[in-house]
Amino acid sequence: MSINSSKKNSHLSWHTANRQYLIDAVNHVRQLLEHQVAQITSQEPSIPLEDSSPTELETLFNDLDTPLVLETLSHRFGLSQFERQILLLCAGAELSQSVGPLCAALHGNPQQAYPTLGLALALFPEPEWGALTPDAPLRRWRMIEILPGSELTRSPLRIDEQVLHTLMGIPGSDARLQGLVKFASAEFSPILPESHQALVEQIVATGLGSEPVIQLCGGDSATKVAISTTTAAQLGLSLHTITADALPTDQSQINLLQCIWERESIFANSLLLLDCDHLAITGEDAQRLAPIIRLIENSTRPIMVSSWERMPQRHRPFLTIDVSSPTPAEQRQLWYSHLGESGQQLNGHVSQLVTYFNLSAQSIQTVCNQVNRDPSNLKSQIWQACLAQARPKLGELAQRMQSGATWENLVLPDPEFQVLKTIAAHVRQRATVYEQ
């Protein structure tokens, strides 16, 4: 499809339009190469140079609801027109069979069928020497790689594979992040009780800028993920999580991983939750803590930290938020909400559940989804399901022993036996004491 015929295809799907837009932009770069070769060889180019530039091509697709990838990428990473042209030149070397030979013709060497900085400086208007410095966007975000060569201006340039896929509109994450970074969908996040929703509003009001870093402390990982997911949704962000104990220990590898993640975060508009729940602040894990703290300190993108206990801070301040279980009243409301009409048939059993089990909103939802709502044994089903939800936490602290003893099996003097009876009665009624 030519550039002019694109005007007649505004009804195309976004993916088709995005790919056509990229192809047209690459074709414009190819035409510049052809005309440069023609000037050197004193020949007429096979196709006349059309009076259209990649920037002007955008107007052909300006009725699309979603911006084109090239425009979005250029805007979010602050690419200049020259940097954008270099990116297209490197993309063209992968997408067009003619770009490589044209580069070789301009280099005067058939073995040098690749883009270089020197070629870009000579080919495009308003050249910028600083476009490929380490701090410039193309290299800062590893969009372009400079391969080994004798001189900087003659070294091959190659576009990053994931950046090329992104330009083509192909969804996916960088292969170097697979198995490390996971997407947390808000679709499966439980409804937050009022006390947790208040924490979300506190985080949103504070903001997720450069400082402070939001640190969620507490033992319930699922609740902290739910709070983070809801926070991200209210800020118009997606949420991804990464487990701290899966991070490499080498600082250079962590720096590479951080750069790649932040690049994807900028393009995907995403928030990162760094899960440090299984990382001990002291002991054997202490050696792993230093590079993780540096990652947090150096992060330029929105980041939240989840940990069981408070992590040490250095220069970047932390806003620590303690996440506890829902209040007894909220737990009671969650039980009735998830059980529906079945909850009204339990005759006070819900209060007993709240007294004995301090479950999270997600755990309560899981229990209610497990039971079959048979009125004849609903209480027993819920009780056993609650025991199963509580056991994993206890199993980390002590060995579980199955007991079959009853009060009749205890052989104790009467005073001690009555003390045990009194303690049991107090435990049964502790909700009444604490709440009423």
Side-chain angles (χ1 to χ4, degrees):
M1 182 183 296
S2 67
I3 294 176
N4 292 333
S5 64
S6 297
K7 296 180 181 180
K8 302 176 183 179
N9 290 275
S10 59
H11 63 282
L12 293 175
S13 69
W14 179 89
H15 290 284
T16 303
N18 180 77
R19 181 165 299 190
Q20 185 59 47
Y21 178 77
L22 178 63
I23 292 174
D24 288 346
V26 169
N27 283 339
H28 179 77
V29 172
R30 177 183 54 79
Q31 291 175 21
L32 290 176
L33 290 168
E34 289 181 347
H35 278 259
Q36 192 79 357
V37 172
Q39 290 179 8
I40 295 175
T41 60
S42 301
Q43 297 178 357
E44 288 293 329
S46 59
I47 301 176
L49 184 62
E50 299 185 25
D51 185 19
S52 180
S53 66
T55 302
E56 294 166 343
L57 290 172
E58 183 183 7
T59 60
L60 304 179
F61 303 94
N62 57 9
D63 59 338
L64 295 172
D65 295 333
T66 304
L68 300 167
V69 174
L70 181 59
E71 302 304 322
T72 302
L73 188 146
S74 299
H75 172 71
R76 292 188 179 177
F77 291 93
L79 300 184
S80 66
Q81 183 64 24
F82 181 66
E83 291 169 330
R84 171 182 161 133
Q85 295 281 59
I86 293 178
L87 192 65
L88 287 170
L89 175 62
C90 295
E94 303 289 341
L95 300 175
S96 174
Q97 295 181 352
S98 59
V99 169
L102 289 170
C103 291
L106 290 175
H107 291 313
N109 186 340
Q111 302 299 320
Q112 297 179 355
Y114 45 74
T116 63
L117 174 58
L119 179 60
L121 291 170
L123 183 65
F124 300 124
E126 301 180 4
E128 304 170 12
W129 178 265
L132 289 184
T133 57
D135 293 331
L138 290 179
R139 289 183 64 190
R140 163 69 177 85
W141 298 111
R142 299 180 185 266
M143 300 182 191
I144 298 296
E145 181 183 3
I146 301 179
L147 302 180
S150 58
E151 301 174 15
L152 176 62
T153 56
R154 297 184 181 183
S155 298
L157 302 181
R158 182 172 63 189
I159 189 171
D160 181 84
E161 178 185 351
Q162 185 56 39
V163 173
L164 180 63
H165 294 329
T166 301
L167 285 174
M168 294 292 291
I170 301 174
S173 60
D174 194 292
R176 291 162 289 191
L177 297 178
Q178 293 179 3
L180 292 175
V181 178
K182 298 181 181 180
F183 174 68
S185 174
E187 179 180 355
F188 303 104
S189 180
I191 299 176
L192 294 179
E194 185 176 345
S195 60
H196 291 165
Q197 185 61 44
L199 298 180
V200 171
E201 295 173 359
Q202 179 185 354
I203 298 171
V204 171
T206 303
L208 292 172
S210 58
E211 0 184 279
V213 175
I214 305 298
Q215 179 178 212
L216 302 179
C217 287
D220 190 350
S221 300
T223 296
K224 291 184 289 185
V225 171
I227 291 174
S228 303
T229 304
T230 305
T231 300
Q234 291 197 11
L235 292 172
L237 305 171
S238 59
L239 180 71
H240 288 76
T241 64
I242 185 169
T243 305
D245 54 14
L247 291 172
T249 56
D250 181 72
Q251 188 61 49
S252 61
Q253 294 180 358
I254 288 185
N255 292 340
L256 174 61
L257 179 66
Q258 181 173 0
C259 176
I260 296 171
W261 158 250
E262 291 189 352
R263 185 183 70 188
E264 295 218 352
S265 171
I266 291 174
F267 193 79
N269 208 23
S270 182
L271 163 69
L272 179 67
L273 175 65
L274 182 59
D275 182 2
C276 302
D277 283 355
H278 299 287
L279 187 69
I281 304 301
T282 58
E284 296 180 357
D285 288 338
Q287 295 181 351
R288 298 183 55 86
L289 191 61
I292 294 173
I293 293 295
R294 283 195 293 270
L295 183 148
I296 298 172
E297 291 277 336
N298 298 331
S299 176
T300 61
R301 294 293 300 160
I303 184 171
M304 296 175 65
V305 179
S306 171
S307 61
W308 280 21
E309 50 187 332
R310 301 189 178 208
M311 297 183 65
Q313 64 185 56
R314 293 183 180 174
H315 304 292
R316 195 172 180 184
F318 281 22
L319 174 59
T320 301
I321 297 177
D322 293 317
V323 179
S324 56
S325 299
T327 65
E330 291 172 340
Q331 291 183 46
R332 194 177 294 109
Q333 180 60 39
L334 286 169
W335 279 112
Y336 283 120
S337 175
H338 290 300
L339 288 173
E341 294 181 359
S342 301
Q344 305 301 325
Q345 304 172 6
L346 294 179
N347 297 325
H349 187 62
V350 169
S351 296
Q352 187 179 12
L353 293 174
V354 173
T355 299
Y356 279 88
F357 303 101
N358 189 24
L359 299 181
S360 67
Q362 188 176 46
S363 296
I364 293 175
Q365 182 177 350
T366 300
V367 168
C368 295
N369 291 338
Q370 288 178 342
V371 298
N372 60 20
R373 311 299 173 92
D374 182 2
S376 61
N377 64 344
L378 181 59
K379 291 182 180 180
S380 175
Q381 288 185 63
I382 294 178
W383 188 266
Q384 293 301 320
C386 287
L387 288 175
Q389 288 293 319
R391 279 170 191 159
K393 295 182 179 179
L394 294 177
E396 297 176 1
L397 302 175
Q399 180 180 359
R400 176 173 174 263
M401 300 182 65
Q402 188 71 36
S403 173
T406 63
W407 288 108
E408 289 73 15
N409 300 121
L410 294 179
V411 180
L412 288 172
D414 187 64
E416 285 77 5
F417 185 79
Q418 293 302 322
V419 169
L420 285 179
K421 283 278 192 178
T422 302
I423 292 174
H426 287 174
V427 170
R428 282 195 298 270
Q429 300 298 325
R430 67 177 181 271
T432 303
V433 174
Y434 292 148
E435 295 181 56
Q436 301 177 13

